[in-house]
Amino acid sequence: MSTPSTSASAAAASAAAVPVPESPSRRGSLGPVGLVLAGGVSVQFGAALAVTLIPRAGALGVVTLRLVVAALVMLLVCRPRMRGHSRADWGTVIAFGVTMAAMNGLFYQSVARIPLGPAVTLEVLGPLALSVLASRRAVNALWAALALGGVFLLSGGGFGGLEPAGVAFALAAGAMWAGYIMFSARTGRRFPQADGLALAMGVAALSFLPLGVAESGTRLLDPVTVALGAGVAILSSVLPYTLELLALRRLPASTFAILMSLEPAIAATAGFLVLSQSLSAVQAVAIALVIAASMGAVRTQVGRGRAKPPVPDVP
């Protein structure tokens, strides 16, 4: 998430609004930075592996395998408490899970049609738009302009080089990612530790299972397909979530959010190395503009959070 995005990746946009003490030394933060970058590499190479699996299981089948395996691992590790939650708590976690399922499904429909780098770049526009709108500062007009410039370059003036359906799916996945961030923040306030996330992952897996079975049927039971799907789940959800969770204990939230802004570049690299998806010079510049806009929006949010610490933004 992103591809979509790992479970912890969406924390980047919301974390920037909450002031976190800066690391006392650069040297001490090298470890956490490495963890975040490793998590980003894991996410995007997991997405590249998923693209190679789509011909075997279909896009919906791949999402189903990823969500089911990730949910099983999360539920076994976290063992969330099922009792003692209010109706509002369950409503929040169900909405979180359904949004997670939609985000993943739309993203994989996108990468089945367009290259991984442009797909992640378009998806990032969702959290970027949320960050710009939440900040409500004039400087965000600059970041919005940079992002729009990047999208214009990426589209070639009309997305003639990219399949329109793939572009639409990526943009829709970005909108779901923005919703994911909001529900993630609400779930984190209502459930201890990662209990809400584990439950939401279970909801996502259950809600997507009928779609995966309808599209892929018995192909989901093929041992090779199951093994590859488990690999996608480990690379795209379980491993990066663990790495990022460890990193966030020692890394300022602002640094974490900026590092997560690099995901389009990591995705483009994974697409080139694994899928032989090359980018033109114009597309590379477009991705760079969107990354710059994302980083700028994060820094603006961080500055606002430090100026008004009693009133953190939500998300």
Side-chain angles (χ1 to χ4, degrees), residues 71-163:
L72 289 175
V73 172
M74 289 293 297
L75 290 171
L76 287 173
V77 171
C78 297
R79 297 187 179 183
R81 182 167 53 89
M82 303 296 291
R83 297 182 179 181
H85 303 300
S86 67
R87 182 177 298 179
D89 293 340
W90 283 112
T92 299
V93 84
I94 289 172
F96 185 23
V98 171
T99 303
M100 185 190 306
M103 177 184 69
N104 280 274
L106 291 166
F107 178 76
Y108 281 104
Q109 289 289 340
S110 174
V111 296
R113 293 169 171 82
I114 63 176
L116 184 59
V120 173
T121 302
L122 292 169
E123 187 195 22
V124 164
L125 294 177
L128 176 58
L130 180 63
S131 179
V132 168
L133 292 174
S135 181
R136 299 175 186 175
R137 295 184 63 181
V139 69
N140 280 288
L142 171 62
W143 311 132
L146 276 179
L148 290 175
V151 171
F152 180 79
L153 289 177
L154 197 62
S155 70
F159 292 106
L162 298 174
E163 185 177 334

